[in-house]
Amino acid sequence: MSPTHSLPLLLLISLLLISTSTSSSDSDRVSELQSLQSRSKSGIIHLDDHSVSRYLTSTKTPRPYYLLIFFDATQLHDKSELQLKTLHSEFSLLAQSFLTNNPNPSPSDPNLFFCDIEFKESQQSFALFGVNALPHIRLVAPHHSPKQSEQMDQGDFSRLAESMADFVQAKTKLNVGPIHRPPFLSTKQLAFIVLATLIWIPFAIKKIVKGETLLHDPKLWLSGSVFIYFFSVSGAMHNIIRKMPMFLADRNDPNKLIFFYQGSGMQLGAEGFAIGFLYTIVGLLLAFVTHLLVKVRNLNVQRFVMIVTLFVSFWAVKKVVYLDNWKTGYGIHGFWPSSWK
Amino acid sequence: MAASETSNGTALRYAFGNVLSFFILLLIGVLAFSIRLFSVIKYESVIHEFDPYFNYRVTQYLTKNGIYDFWNWFDDRTWYPLGRVIGGTVYPGLTLTAGTLYWILNSLNIPLSVETVCVFTAPIFSAFASWATYLLTKEVKGAGAGLTAAVLLAMVPSYISRSVAGSYDNEAVAIFALIFTFFLYIKTLNTGSLFYATLNAIAYFYMVCSWGGYTFIINLIPMHVLLCIVTGRYSSRLYIAYAPLVVLGTLLASLVPVVGFNAVLTSEHFGSFLVFIIIHVVALVYYIKGILSPKMFKVAVTLVVSIGLVVCCAVIAVLVALVASSPTKGWSGRSLSLLDPTYASKYIPIIASVSEHQPPTWPSYFMDINVLAFLVPAGIIACFSPLSDASSFVVLYIVTSVYFSGVMVRLMLVFAPAACIMSGIALSASFDVFTRSIKFQLPGVKGNSQVDAGETSSEGVVAQNEVAKTDKNEEALKERPSKKNRKKEKEHVEKPSVKAQMKKRLLVLPFEASIIAILLLILLGAFYVVHSVWAAAEAYSAPSIVLTSYSHDGLHVFDDFREAYSWLSHNTEVDDKVASWWDYGYQTTAMANRTVIVDNNTWNNTHIATVGTAMSSPEKAAWEIFDSLDVKYVLVVFGGLVGYPSDDINKFLWMVRIGGGVFPHIKEPDYLRDGQYRIDSQATPTMLNCLMYKLSYYRFVETDGKAFDRVRRTEIGKKHFKLTHFEEVFTTHHWMVRIYKLKPQKNRIRGKAKKSRSKASSTTSTKRSETQRKNPWH
């Protein structure tokens, strides 16, 4: 349990103890939720089994508020493919943006509260909603019971907070407004960077004039350009844009991993790097032979190294041709005169 | 005496080499031209795909009405009711080129049709492009590398894909212009001649006329200049190569209507201006350094640096403010998605929707440049030993273009020439080493009989040429302040060349291993040839307007598109409006000569979204949208019967997305069942009731009784339904194109309708009355 969660929880429990003694009308519940919301730093109310029953199941519909619930599980945070952490932070971003965009909601509109539930401490609620897979976000409308509530589709959080906002806007008819993302660099950091660059510029100019920077080292440029070449031909850009994993687990046999994906429209990370390596190594070996090996005096060393090089290059080309034919399914063939057959 | 004899011999060898190179180049031109004729041989002499049809139509207009009418052409046959200013919104280079070709041929009494000229423009220019590659690579690493690079470029699959006969598109001439501009830049850089600098600006102008990719040039050359300055390679030649290009080039570029003031106002060009300022500052510094003593110079530097920094900061602040004031930071969406690759997929669906804007995977590299992918790293290393101004430029070219090609598969086209140049250099360098090793270790040849060897064995000739070439090359790499000095230098070089050859003799590899290596390299080259010919013949020659398929009972030809377009042109009124998804806009205007609502020039997102919305709405709403646009016919492309995968149903989600981007009542999730796009019985009701579904699958069940869609491999969800607001008027032989007519509006109240009818008849045009006569039931 992270400390950010435990504090609101304590508050919640204490608040619950106080509030149970008083009458629990709808307006009380709203004000309780509002105060809980204002105490939470992220704008998300942390629910548990008690509070779920208090704000959802024990109330009569229609409730005067919507609840958007994020189902969380701390033990799954380290599973990167679920992206629970990113989604949770996006969810809190959505909550904060909603609060800043609607500081004084009009009384006629129903309220919207952003909540999260942790699996370990509120397993009953998970069962109540019938949640058995994460990530899972649900919107409980005023007239809905937990089971009837609407689930946010995979597609609705694919574009993170923006698409969640679209979902909320579509279902609640409430205006979320633009998402306020924290700037990449805070103003202080920015000022520091600008200052540092200003101080650094004169020194840099001096060095450039003298001609003794790293930039004057051709070896650096050489390795840089070969690296960019390797990076591009391995299709790494595709992996970044499409967020492809390095490998997949085999569906039929979970212990086996798939490194190569059949079908030319897609590739896996490790696959791309492997082929990019094969693409690059042949050229590097060729350059090695023609530029460095010629300077070696010992004939036998030359002979041995060349044989190895030729063998490796031949193998690499053959492997790529084979893998390409396998992946794309093209049958590349020559066009020979028909009399030759 | 002996010395004069040898010099005579070398002169003869040079002459022989030049003649040989000339014939090789001629053959390369023939190769480049003929490898692109597969499409004509396998299909027919026909314009391909979509955009070429527009270019063809523009060329027709140009040859018929002349250049001034073309310049002022307002096209009312497209983007109805907005129209489009063609003269001011197209890159005129291709059209003018083909128009000029047509005009020259006709004035020579060679009566070719405009279509034939258009079909063969691309192959002709690919021959030019390979010659330009020869020139460029020759400037970098000598004639041997040049010839190799030219051969490779003549048949590089990536370039073939855009320049087969019939692929009449901007890229066909633009790649030639690109390489030629680079060649002239390098030539200016090597010679420092203003003549070449001016030619360079003109070549750049031609490039600006031809293709939007000219921004690549105007960013790459400044980058190279900056690189040279930063690494301490500034020279007066660099100044001559760059400054005139920016001034003249920008002036000329702004003469092209489609570019106009963009040449000075958009961020794509700012880099060149910044470098223009920097190179002047640097030139001034070098000048002052020359006239001042070192001590005075130090004082001056501190003075200038402090003042210069202040000025620079002010200028940069103004620039930043200018750039920041525009919403996209002054960059067009396409360029932005190059810098931030994830940009387009997030914000511009219409760019992300185009398949050629996707990032490529590794097989695309193997498909498009094949074995060159293996050779490029060797070429890069060869360029670094030794690093000259020219070779650093090619290195920069390959590094930037390979990165861009990694972002967008379409930019593979810019990368391909660079890959050819690099591989040419690599191959030539390795052949140089291996043939040298063989030549000097031939069993029969011993001692100092190098001249004999050159005349006895054929390999020897190659090696000799190569050696001579490298000598020449070494000379080229030296600083050449003026022509006079160069001549002197040449005389100097002659003598030590013998010594250099002696030295080179020592740099050899084992004899047998070299033979194996050469054989393997030749094998690699042979594989490249086989692959390229296969790609040209099988993969890239389909015109996509005529489709073929092989099955067990022979060849099938699907000519449905032309069938549909000719039906439209023969059976509809000249002024009727035809609505279809934008892909078919150019073809409809060019082949059917009917007005379309949207076409492949996607300049107005709202208009496209309107059509997308209509296609994704139920029948009645769609009818209202189309009626408000005066549409008479709706054309849909349907591949379910023959299994043609790029039909409208497969493109439909993009219609929804683009439509929903402007009209929020269209929501993508309504068309998806659990995030999956399907048209079978599990499909959502919105999907089953939208216009696109109905127009595609109307009466489909009558074909086989089960309504099995061969593309989606499923039975469709709703089989029996009637159309209320549309009627089917034409369906092509294989059902690939279906044309529907909007039903006329129903009469609501008899009396009112009569009144309006009588009113209308009093004011009808002659055309209206004609149609009434044709159809007595109305």
Side-chain angles (χ1 to χ4, degrees):
Chain A
M1 189 86 237
S2 64
T4 46
H5 279 179
S6 59
L7 185 66
L9 188 74
L10 281 176
L11 291 169
L12 184 82
I13 293 167
S14 54
L15 203 99
L16 274 177
L17 287 175
I18 304 163
S19 60
T20 39
S21 56
T22 58
S23 74
S24 48
S25 68
D26 279 347
S27 59
D28 281 347
R29 288 198 174 89
V30 170
S31 58
E32 277 168 40
L33 282 167
Q34 271 168 347
S35 72
L36 277 174
Q37 190 178 46
S38 61
R39 275 174 225 197
S40 153
K41 205 182 160 194
S42 57
I44 300 178
I45 302 164
H46 188 73
L47 296 182
D48 57 9
D49 289 343
H50 280 287
S51 40
V52 165
S53 76
R54 167 152 177 80
Y55 299 119
L56 278 177
T57 40
S58 64
T59 56
K60 55 181 186 300
T61 52
R63 293 175 285 269
Y65 45 78
Y66 284 95
L67 289 181
L68 189 66
I69 307 176
F70 183 90
F71 292 84
D72 200 6
T74 328
Q75 78 235 39
L76 295 178
H77 274 194
D78 52 342
K79 290 220 168 181
S80 59
E81 69 268 20
L82 292 181
Q83 295 193 312
L84 279 181
K85 272 185 177 169
T86 10
L87 285 175
H88 194 269
S89 69
E90 289 293 321
F91 187 71
S92 78
L93 217 78
L94 175 71
Q96 284 162 8
S97 307
F98 179 77
L99 289 179
T100 41
N101 290 335
N102 307 294
N104 312 306
S106 66
S108 59
D109 279 349
N111 284 294
L112 170 65
F113 294 107
F114 297 85
C115 317
D116 63 353
I117 301 187
E118 213 286 324
F119 176 68
K120 270 226 170 125
E121 54 180 53
S122 356
Q123 299 197 359
Q124 283 180 5
S125 312
F126 269 63
L128 181 69
F129 284 100
V131 177
N132 43 23
L134 292 183
H136 195 110
I137 302 174
R138 255 176 194 282
L139 181 76
V140 189
H143 53 277
H144 278 163
S145 73
K147 282 267 181 194
Q148 291 172 320
S149 57
E150 280 180 280
Q151 182 191 349
M152 201 184 274
D153 275 340
Q154 199 79 37
D156 282 317
F157 40 77
S158 61
R159 282 190 302 115
L160 307 176
E162 280 79 7
S163 54
M164 293 187 200
D166 290 346
F167 172 82
V168 171
Q169 256 167 0
K171 301 290 177 194
T172 62
K173 309 284 184 292
L174 290 171
N175 185 25
V176 178
I179 303 291
H180 302 285
R181 285 183 186 278
F184 187 65
L185 292 168
S186 69
T187 34
K188 266 185 194 168
Q189 283 169 320
L190 206 68
F192 177 75
I193 287 171
V194 167
L195 202 70
T197 346
L198 279 182
I199 296 170
W200 174 73
I201 282 175
F203 293 102
I205 289 178
K206 200 180 166 190
K207 279 221 159 175
I208 287 172
V209 170
K210 277 189 181 169
E212 51 186 32
T213 49
L214 269 179
L215 298 176
H216 291 75
D217 185 6
K219 283 202 186 85
L220 187 82
W221 289 101
L222 176 62
S223 37
S225 30
V226 171
F227 174 75
I228 292 179
Y229 179 77
F230 160 75
F231 183 79
S232 302
V233 291
S234 66
M237 229 48 192
H238 171 270
N239 296 341
I240 293 173
I241 294 173
R242 295 283 157 75
K243 299 200 178 77
M244 296 304 295
M246 289 305 268
F247 48 79
L248 292 174
D250 199 330
R251 278 198 187 168
N252 305 325
D253 180 6
N255 294 326
K256 261 174 45 184
L257 296 174
I258 302 179
F259 288 99
F260 283 84
Y261 181 89
Q262 196 165 12
S264 61
M266 213 171 96
Q267 72 171 29
L268 299 173
E271 169 189 1
F273 287 123
I275 303 290
F277 175 73
L278 291 183
Y279 276 152
T280 319
I281 192 75
V282 176
L284 289 181
L285 285 176
L286 189 63
F288 168 74
V289 167
T290 51
H291 293 283
L292 288 181
L293 197 66
V294 286
K295 290 177 184 154
V296 175
R297 284 303 173 87
N298 188 333
L299 207 65
N300 279 330
V301 172
Q302 279 188 331
R303 194 165 286 143
F304 175 72
V305 173
M306 258 192 95
I307 298 294
V308 171
T309 310
L310 289 177
F311 182 76
V312 171
S313 311
F314 186 75
W315 174 81
V317 174
K318 220 182 131 211
K319 198 79 197 158
V320 171
V321 171
Y322 164 74
L323 280 171
D324 181 70
N325 285 341
W326 170 78
K327 191 173 172 75
T328 57
Y330 292 139
I332 294 160
H333 55 85
F335 294 86
W336 311 112
S338 43
S339 61
W340 287 15
K341 278 173 189 169
Chain B
M1 279 304 283
S4 75
E5 246 173 51
T6 38
S7 76
N8 242 349
T10 40
L12 199 70
R13 210 152 44 220
Y14 275 133
F16 180 66
N18 283 338
V19 172
L20 197 64
S21 314
F22 177 77
F23 279 107
I24 293 175
L25 279 177
L26 213 63
L27 286 179
I28 288 173
V30 172
L31 170 69
F33 183 82
S34 52
I35 201 173
R36 287 164 169 82
L37 298 185
F38 278 109
S39 57
V40 174
I41 295 165
K42 286 183 73 179
Y43 297 87
E44 59 187 294
S45 174
V46 66
I47 309 260
H48 289 194
E49 301 203 319
F50 306 107
D51 286 24
Y53 271 97
F54 170 74
N55 297 324
Y56 168 51
R57 184 161 160 257
V58 176
T59 315
Q60 264 184 329
Y61 189 89
L62 171 74
T63 49
K64 207 184 277 170
N65 297 324
I67 179 119
Y68 290 106
D69 275 353
F70 159 66
W71 223 240
N72 296 323
W73 185 20
F74 180 82
D75 184 11
D76 56 358
R77 292 234 158 253
T78 178
W79 291 97
Y80 182 85
L82 306 168
R84 178 183 170 196
V85 186
I86 300 277
T89 58
V90 318
Y91 286 99
L94 176 75
T95 319
L96 292 178
T97 308
T100 316
L101 269 180
Y102 172 80
W103 176 77
I104 290 173
L105 286 171
N106 270 280
S107 57
L108 290 174
N109 285 329
I110 304 174
L112 289 181
S113 69
V114 181
E115 191 181 1
T116 315
V117 173
C118 291
V119 166
F120 290 103
T121 300
I124 291 172
F125 269 79
S126 38
F128 291 170
S130 43
W131 293 335
T133 312
Y134 164 73
L135 293 173
L136 172 57
T137 321
K138 192 184 162 204
E139 282 303 308
V140 180
K141 281 279 172 186
L147 287 174
T148 325
V151 165
L152 294 179
L153 186 105
M155 47 188 178
V156 66
S158 167
Y159 185 31
I160 288 178
S161 74
R162 294 318 199 86
S163 62
V164 291
S167 176
Y168 179 57
D169 211 347
N170 288 337
E171 288 92 335
V173 297
I175 292 303
F176 159 71
L178 180 89
I179 302 171
F180 199 61
T181 312
F182 285 157
F183 156 65
L184 285 169
Y185 172 70
I186 297 288
K187 186 81 186 171
T188 324
L189 199 57
N190 279 345
T191 58
S193 130
L194 258 181
F195 170 69
Y196 285 116
T198 319
L199 280 189
N200 189 17
I202 293 172
Y204 173 66
F205 174 59
Y206 184 63
M207 177 71 194
V208 177
C209 282
S210 308
W211 196 33
Y214 75 90
T215 45
F216 181 65
I217 296 182
I218 204 61
N219 281 304
L220 185 68
I221 291 181
M223 266 167 77
H224 178 244
V225 170
L226 200 63
L227 191 79
C228 283
I229 291 173
V230 168
T231 53
R233 291 179 156 272
Y234 171 81
S235 63
S236 54
R237 291 173 290 113
L238 186 70
Y239 183 84
I240 291 172
Y242 185 64
L245 173 69
V246 170
V247 177
L248 283 177
T250 307
L251 281 176
L252 288 171
S254 45
L255 290 180
V256 183
V258 61
V259 177
F261 278 103
N262 281 348
V264 285
L265 286 181
T266 54
S267 301
E268 278 100 339
H269 305 82
F270 283 170
S272 64
F273 301 138
L274 195 68
V275 174
F276 187 67
I277 296 170
I278 291 174
I279 198 172
H280 275 93
V281 172
V282 172
L284 190 71
V285 168
Y286 271 82
Y287 175 69
I288 293 172
K289 203 176 179 179
I291 57 171
L292 287 182
S293 65
K295 211 179 176 190
M296 285 287 283
F297 178 68
K298 252 190 181 165
V299 179
V301 162
T302 37
L303 196 76
V304 169
V305 162
S306 44
I307 297 174
L309 266 186
V310 175
V311 176
C312 266
C313 287
V315 170
I316 288 172
V318 169
L319 272 185
V320 166
L322 260 180
V323 170
S325 61
S326 84
T328 57
K329 310 286 175 231
W331 289 78
S332 63
R334 281 187 175 90
S335 333
L336 259 184
S337 59
L338 277 182
L339 297 179
D340 173 12
T342 50
Y343 178 82
S345 58
K346 276 189 218 151
Y347 302 109
I348 328 170
I350 210 159
I351 290 185
S353 75
V354 182
S355 67
E356 59 184 19
H357 293 156
Q358 308 300 326
T361 52
W362 69 264
S364 345
Y365 282 96
F366 197 73
M367 182 68 198
D368 275 356
I369 59 170
N370 199 242
V371 303
L372 304 188
F374 294 111
L375 295 171
V376 169
I380 294 177
I381 292 173
C383 281
F384 272 93
S385 55
L387 193 65
S388 66
D389 288 349
S391 66
S392 67
F393 178 76
V394 246
V395 170
L396 194 68
Y397 175 28
I398 191 134
V399 167
T400 45
S401 61
V402 80
Y403 168 75
F404 288 151
S405 74
V407 178
M408 261 188 210
V409 68
R410 127 188 248 216
L411 292 175
M412 197 78 93
L413 190 61
V414 178
F415 167 61
C420 291
I421 292 166
M422 281 300 176
S423 313
I425 291 171
L427 271 182
S428 145
S430 357
F431 273 125
D432 191 11
V433 171
F434 295 138
T435 48
R436 191 205 304 149
S437 310
I438 293 172
K439 176 188 154 198
F440 288 124
Q441 296 177 69
L442 268 182
V445 184
K446 284 271 156 77
N448 52 1
S449 58
Q450 31 187 322
V451 184
D452 299 356
E455 279 150 11
T456 45
S457 72
S458 60
E459 283 136 342
V461 174
V462 179
Q464 283 280 9
N465 276 346
E466 297 286 318
V467 173
K469 181 212 82 198
T470 37
D471 281 349
K472 222 175 153 191
N473 202 25
E474 270 161 21
E475 176 202 345
L477 298 179
K478 278 178 192 156
E479 300 277 311
R480 277 183 281 179
S482 78
K483 270 192 179 174
K484 270 182 205 162
N485 280 8
R486 215 192 323 161
K487 257 186 190 165
K488 266 185 203 165
E489 254 176 38
K490 210 173 189 175
E491 282 159 19
H492 283 297
V493 171
E494 293 294 296
K495 275 173 201 165
S497 76
V498 180
K499 223 185 211 171
Q501 274 185 339
M502 294 286 278
K503 217 170 151 192
K504 280 235 167 89
R505 278 192 57 191
L506 300 173
L507 299 180
V508 290
L509 292 167
F511 179 68
E512 329 76 42
S514 304
I515 289 182
I516 301 175
I518 283 197
L519 285 180
L520 282 183
L521 278 182
I522 290 172
L523 202 67
L524 200 68
F527 183 76
Y528 177 70
V529 174
V530 168
H531 177 92
S532 301
V533 172
W534 174 83
E538 301 284 331
Y540 292 138
S541 284
S544 93
I545 189 96
V546 188
L547 306 161
T548 55
S549 83
Y550 291 94
S551 63
H552 52 90
D553 50 343
L555 176 76
H556 289 274
V557 178
F558 303 102
D559 203 0
D560 287 34
F561 287 106
R562 290 195 289 185
E563 187 186 348
Y565 293 132
S566 58
W567 185 89
L568 273 178
S569 80
H570 286 113
N571 296 285
T572 58
E573 297 289 326
V574 173
D575 283 334
D576 282 348
K577 279 75 182 168
V578 181
S580 66
W581 188 234
W582 56 264
D583 294 22
Y584 312 104
Y586 279 164
Q587 291 180 348
T588 313
T589 40
M591 280 195 273
N593 193 22
R594 292 294 172 269
T595 309
V596 295
I597 307 299
V598 292
D599 67 22
N600 309 44
N601 178 273
T602 50
W603 65 276
N604 189 329
N605 195 22
T606 317
H607 222 53
I608 293 181
T610 311
V611 174
T613 307
M615 293 296 191
S616 20
S617 303
E619 228 179 302
K620 184 160 187 292
W623 187 91
E624 275 159 10
I625 294 173
F626 280 142
D627 189 55
S628 72
L629 288 168
D630 294 348
V631 169
K632 264 263 183 77
Y633 297 92
V634 180
L635 178 151
V636 294
V637 173
F638 170 63
L641 186 71
V642 289
Y644 170 64
S646 46
D647 64 349
D648 277 345
I649 291 285
N650 272 6
K651 290 171 186 167
F652 181 61
L653 270 194
W654 287 108
M655 304 185 201
V656 174
R657 261 170 225 161
I658 294 169
V662 177
F663 302 100
H665 69 273
I666 302 289
K667 293 189 202 71
E668 194 182 330
D670 295 345
Y671 297 84
L672 303 175
R673 173 73 70 194
D674 299 330
Q676 271 196 327
Y677 178 59
R678 52 201 310 171
I679 42 93
D680 54 7
S681 49
Q682 293 292 307
T684 58
T686 328
M687 179 70 216
L688 293 179
N689 282 315
C690 73
L691 184 71
M692 182 48 73
Y693 180 89
K694 285 194 164 177
L695 297 192
S696 289
Y697 293 117
Y698 178 60
R699 291 200 309 115
F700 183 48
V701 70
E702 294 167 25
T703 54
D704 60 352
K706 280 193 301 189
F708 183 80
D709 186 322
R710 290 204 193 170
V711 176
R712 268 64 60 175
R713 299 186 174 284
T714 172
E715 276 183 35
I716 62 172
K718 201 162 127 185
K719 296 173 185 172
H720 303 277
F721 55 85
K722 279 192 178 139
L723 296 175
T724 52
H725 291 73
F726 293 83
E727 59 180 324
E728 184 186 5
V729 286
F730 186 68
T731 294
T732 56
H733 184 205
H734 301 96
W735 285 50
M736 278 171 61
V737 184
R738 313 194 66 185
I739 301 171
Y740 292 83
K741 191 177 184 179
L742 271 75
K743 279 188 185 163
Q745 205 158 14
K746 272 183 193 143
N747 297 340
R748 288 219 183 98
I749 306 157
R750 190 170 284 268
K752 256 193 185 171
K754 256 187 186 165
K755 235 181 224 170
S756 66
R757 168 64 55 81
S758 60
K759 232 185 213 169
S761 64
S762 63
T763 55
T764 40
S765 62
T766 47
K767 206 187 82 216
R768 177 75 179 266
S769 54
E770 262 173 39
T771 50
Q772 278 176 355
R773 245 181 283 134
K774 261 187 198 165
N775 197 338
W777 300 107
H778 271 271

